[in-house]
Amino acid sequence: MVVLVTGANGQLGQSLQFIAKNYPELHFVFCSSSHLDITNLESCQAVFLKIKPNYCINAAAYTAVDKAESEAEKAHLINVIGAKNLAAVCKEFSTVLLHISTDFVFDGHFSKLLPRAKSMGYSENDIPNPTGVYGQTKLEGEKVIQATFDNYYIIRTSWVYSQFGNNFMKTMLRLASDRDSISVVNDQIGTPTNAVDLAEALIQIILTDKRQATTDNFGVYNFSNEGQCSWYDFAKRIFQINNKNIDLKPIPTSSFLTPAKRPKFSVLDKSKIKQVFGIEIKSWEERLK
């Protein structure tokens, strides 16, 4: 089974490379943007024609949340046109597409959430309502895939970090070596996701899918680690695990203005992915360690 991975140099792409050797029954082909430009349909067709993938994991995305507000065209090109091109070639080559989306498709208005969502998090059936360019383009990317063909898994995730690439965990550790005091927002609630766990979940989906002659499992799924916390809680735990003594101050979002508006609450309900694929999900604190 040939699995093509786009965005090979990103956090998720590198996490998949990190664990690929554990799955000898899958032949992974990792493509960075220089080898496969998802914004170019001809580039996609040429690569697919050469390697004829059974599965395509789209780990390529424009993820600079604040920058997207001033680079809307670039975000749209990668997150929407790129998704559309991949969906079109996946349909042409009978390839199953696994596409990564985000908690930013929701507005996070906690006061408006149903009691179930407040305790479990957003489900796949909740109505998206993004508040910024990044979330909007990711939602549009989902929609163009759904309008193109049926053989897709869209996996929404949140607060991704790892030993690879740039992420919140690495930023905090870098700042801790430069500063005596750091202020972090404590009124945005979500769930950190270890990118290696996300990579394992994607492979589990592929292994389950390929054992079945036909599948009714295609659709949208949520995946993050278990539990919930604020960015302040996340930072606090990062410093505790790494034995960093630093003056960490909790601040409200209103004291840390950014170009993009972030969801106040974006916990995701993982019931569906656990039930359908039997995936066991560990707590964010355990996986951070």
Side-chain angles (χ1 to χ4, degrees):
M1 302 297 288
V2 178
V3 181
L4 169 65
V5 179
T6 69
N9 294 336
Q11 275 198 86
L12 180 58
Q14 290 186 72
S15 295
L16 282 159
Q17 291 182 63
F18 181 63
I19 62 171
K21 63 183 181 299
N22 300 333
Y23 299 94
E25 69 271 46
L26 300 176
H27 175 64
F28 287 91
V29 178
F30 293 95
C31 290
S32 64
S33 57
S34 57
H35 294 109
L36 170 54
D37 177 5
I38 65 169
T39 69
N40 182 307
L41 184 60
E42 286 75 26
S43 172
C44 295
Q45 288 170 325
V47 171
F48 271 64
L49 188 62
K50 185 180 177 184
I51 70 167
K52 297 179 176 60
N54 303 96
Y55 294 88
C56 173
I57 297 176
N58 181 26
Y62 182 104
T63 58
V65 177
D66 289 320
K67 226 174 174 183
E69 295 300 310
S70 57
E71 292 187 348
E73 276 186 32
K74 189 176 179 184
H76 184 270
L77 186 62
I78 297 168
N79 292 344
V80 184
I81 304 303
K84 186 179 182 182
N85 288 340
L86 281 176
V89 289
C90 281
K91 184 179 183 181
E92 184 183 339
F93 287 86
S94 300
T95 303
V96 174
L97 177 61
L98 289 83
H99 176 78
I100 311 304
S101 193
T102 174
D103 57 327
F104 273 68
V105 300
F106 297 112
D107 60 21
H109 288 160
F110 191 72
S111 58
K112 295 179 184 174
L113 293 178
L114 297 170
R116 179 206 54 78
K118 287 180 181 178
S119 59
M120 299 286 292
Y122 282 103
S123 82
E124 293 82 356
N125 298 321
D126 285 316
I127 309 286
N129 184 34
T131 59
V133 171
Y134 167 65
Q136 185 61 47
T137 57
K138 290 300 287 182
L139 179 59
E140 286 175 30
E142 292 184 12
K143 288 179 176 176
V144 293
I145 290 167
Q146 291 166 322
T148 302
F149 77 146
D150 297 325
N151 295 6
Y152 64 82
Y153 298 99
I154 291 170
I155 295 91
R156 292 172 178 159
T157 191
S158 64
W159 298 23
V160 179
Y161 70 93
S162 66
Q163 61 266 54
F164 310 108
N166 298 312
N167 55 68
F168 181 81
M169 178 189 75
K170 284 187 162 185
T171 299
M172 288 297 107
L173 292 173
R174 189 184 71 248
L175 290 176
S177 62
D178 296 340
R179 301 183 188 178
D180 299 322
S181 176
I182 299 175
S183 298
V184 180
V185 294
N186 70 339
D187 57 355
Q188 293 172 23
I189 308 298
T191 309
T193 304
N194 186 315
V196 174
D197 287 10
L198 175 58
E200 292 278 10
L202 294 171
I203 291 174
Q204 190 62 47
I205 289 171
I206 289 171
L207 293 176
T208 303
D209 182 87
K210 83 182 185 75
R211 284 195 290 264
Q212 299 168 332
T214 59
T215 182
D216 297 320
N217 295 336
F218 294 128
V220 180
Y221 291 84
N222 292 333
F223 182 86
S224 68
N225 283 117
E226 294 284 20
Q228 53 182 269
C229 63
S230 69
W231 289 107
Y232 168 81
D233 298 325
F234 189 15
K236 187 177 178 183
R237 200 75 195 94
I238 289 166
F239 296 139
Q240 285 173 341
I241 290 168
N242 288 277
N243 296 314
K244 299 279 186 187
N245 286 321
I246 189 158
D247 180 21
L248 184 65
K249 294 184 170 72
I251 58 168
T253 300
S254 55
S255 297
F256 187 71
L257 297 176
T258 55
K261 195 177 173 190
R262 285 156 168 77
K264 281 288 187 88
F265 178 88
S266 62
V267 175
L268 299 171
D269 178 351
K270 278 80 66 177
S271 305
K272 183 180 174 185
I273 201 166
K274 288 190 283 191
Q275 184 182 346
V276 173
F277 296 105
I279 292 171
E280 290 181 21
I281 305 178
K282 292 177 177 168
S283 74
W284 72 266
E285 291 174 288
E286 184 183 347
R287 293 304 292 143
L288 175 62
K289 202 177 285 184

